[in-house]
Amino acid sequence: MRGKRYRIGIDVGLNSVGLAAVEVSDENSPVRLLNAQSVIHDGGVDPQKNKEAITRKNMSGVARRTRRMRRRKRERLHKLDMLLGKFGYPVIEPESLDKPFEEWHVRAELATRYIEDDELRRESISIALRHMARHRGWRNPYRQVDSLISDNPYSKQYGELKEKAKAYNDDATAAEEESTPAQLVVAMLDAGYAEAPRLRWRTGSKKPDAEGYLPVRLMQEDNANELKQIFRVQRVPADEWKPLFRSVFYAVSPKGSAEQRVGQDPLAPEQARALKASLAFQEYRIANVITNLRIKDASAELRKLTVDEKQSIYDQLVSPSSEDITWSDLCDFPRCLFRSATPLLVLQF
């Protein structure tokens, strides 16, 4: 092999890579082709999601977020059990409950009347807290937990649950204005059923959707209102129920998680680049577009806008208005700036 020179060429395509090994002379002229092959790859698309064109990176992100969600849920439930033991509440496992839908009946009873037996009351509160912590509904992740402690109106989903309860049972419990979600569910269960009903919807592509008593997504403020009513009816002191309440609805806020991923501004490297959702970025985008505008008036040539003209158009675009400004409105705006009969605003890069 001594004295011979070789070159390797690589050609990268969309879904393939071409490789070639060529022997060359001292004048860098090709002498003979040693080997050539084409390697076909999947382009980063997951083989099981080839029809949807979902990449491996996207699928790994879904799995990573799912693992993180389940890990945080386990930690939250463990901390709730520790807090229950600290305040003297027993930890009742769901497997020890033998009656159908017993958790819902316990929640409805706690919100209806005060339980005199101290041991039974603490067991019922523990069952309700652990059940609600596992099925607590949805809320905006940017909202703090303490926002649920204050009075919040019931959601639209609660109204749907209430209307469905009235359709199942015209009992007075279903018609009450302050009925909790558990009381509404129990009212529908008390109406009777031939076979065990579904409480929650089943959605998915593998199996057909199955309708349940509850809405597709119940909000956390509805369950928070019910939990506050339970604590009020059962006369739980504030220094005891507030830590339990925060533990049930605790969630890691995503606020500030993207700050570490913000790049540096190319014009001012010592400062961070403005987020696209920020007001500064929107104002910069408006000013940048105005800079590329040109005026075509009576003369045939395009000219740039003066500083006063740019400032006038900028003030119109950033002014608070209930009506959306279109490109047609922006092109008509120079008529207020010039005495020319037919000025035209042109976007040129």
Side-chain angles (χ1 to χ4, degrees), residues 10-291:
I10 302 177
D11 183 19
V12 181
L14 183 61
N15 292 100
S16 62
V17 177
L19 305 174
V22 182
E23 180 183 351
V24 297
S25 63
D26 295 338
E27 292 80 13
N28 290 330
S29 299
V31 177
R32 62 190 180 96
L33 183 64
L34 301 178
N35 192 2
Q37 61 178 334
S38 178
V39 180
I40 300 176
H41 59 85
D42 54 13
V45 178
D46 189 273
Q48 298 180 355
K49 297 292 183 179
N50 194 15
K51 293 183 178 180
E52 295 84 354
I54 301 178
T55 61
R56 297 176 184 268
K57 183 178 180 180
N58 193 352
M59 291 301 299
S60 64
V62 173
R64 182 173 61 255
R65 289 187 292 270
T66 303
R67 291 193 300 268
R68 183 176 59 200
M69 179 189 66
R70 293 179 178 177
R71 182 178 66 252
R72 288 178 176 176
K73 183 178 181 180
R74 287 195 302 267
E75 294 175 355
R76 177 173 55 86
L77 296 178
H78 177 69
K79 291 180 180 179
L80 176 61
D81 292 343
M82 298 295 291
L83 197 59
L84 287 171
K86 176 182 177 181
F87 288 116
Y89 291 89
V91 177
I92 309 298
E93 296 296 338
E95 293 79 9
S96 62
L97 305 177
D98 51 359
K99 297 181 181 179
F101 307 108
E102 187 169 352
E103 294 96 338
W104 292 98
H105 288 278
V106 169
R107 287 171 55 177
E109 184 181 8
L110 288 171
T112 304
R113 66 178 184 86
Y114 177 72
I115 301 177
E116 298 291 343
D117 192 322
D118 184 69
E119 182 179 357
L120 179 59
R121 182 176 67 254
R122 288 185 170 274
E123 290 181 358
S124 300
I125 292 177
S126 176
I127 293 173
L129 287 173
R130 301 183 83 244
H131 181 255
M132 199 172 294
R134 285 163 171 79
H135 311 283
R136 56 181 186 169
W138 183 90
R139 84 167 187 269
N140 190 331
Y142 288 92
R143 288 187 59 187
Q144 298 296 327
V145 182
D146 289 346
S147 63
L148 299 175
I149 296 180
S150 58
D151 294 335
N152 293 290
Y154 281 102
S155 65
K156 180 181 67 175
Q157 288 80 358
Y158 171 82
E160 297 175 0
L161 176 61
K162 192 173 183 179
E163 292 298 326
K164 186 175 294 186
K166 290 181 179 179
Y168 272 87
N169 192 351
D170 294 333
D171 188 17
T173 304
E176 290 179 358
E177 294 294 334
E178 299 299 330
S179 298
T180 64
Q183 290 174 338
L184 296 176
V185 171
V186 170
M188 288 187 282
L189 293 174
D190 291 342
Y193 47 85
E195 58 182 9
R198 294 189 60 88
L199 295 186
R200 293 178 174 82
W201 284 66
R202 182 182 65 198
T203 57
S205 58
K206 295 183 179 180
K207 296 182 180 180
D209 297 350
E211 183 177 357
Y213 283 172
L214 296 171
V216 177
R217 183 176 64 179
L218 196 64
M219 308 301 286
Q220 283 193 17
E221 51 259 33
D222 302 331
N223 288 326
N225 292 336
E226 176 183 344
L227 188 56
K228 286 183 290 186
Q229 182 172 342
I230 289 175
F231 288 136
R232 183 173 57 255
V233 173
Q234 302 305 320
R235 306 169 191 173
V236 180
D239 58 348
E240 185 175 312
W241 71 262
K242 284 188 177 181
L244 294 171
F245 184 92
R246 292 189 178 98
S247 180
V248 170
F249 296 104
Y250 172 78
V252 178
S253 176
K255 185 177 180 180
S257 59
E259 293 180 356
Q260 299 178 355
R261 300 181 177 89
V262 177
Q264 301 302 119
D265 194 303
L267 302 178
E270 69 277 0
Q271 298 182 4
R273 184 169 58 239
L275 300 176
K276 290 187 177 181
S278 64
L279 182 60
F281 180 84
Q282 300 299 328
E283 293 176 349
Y284 169 77
R285 175 179 287 180
I286 293 174
N288 188 36
V289 172
I290 294 176
T291 305

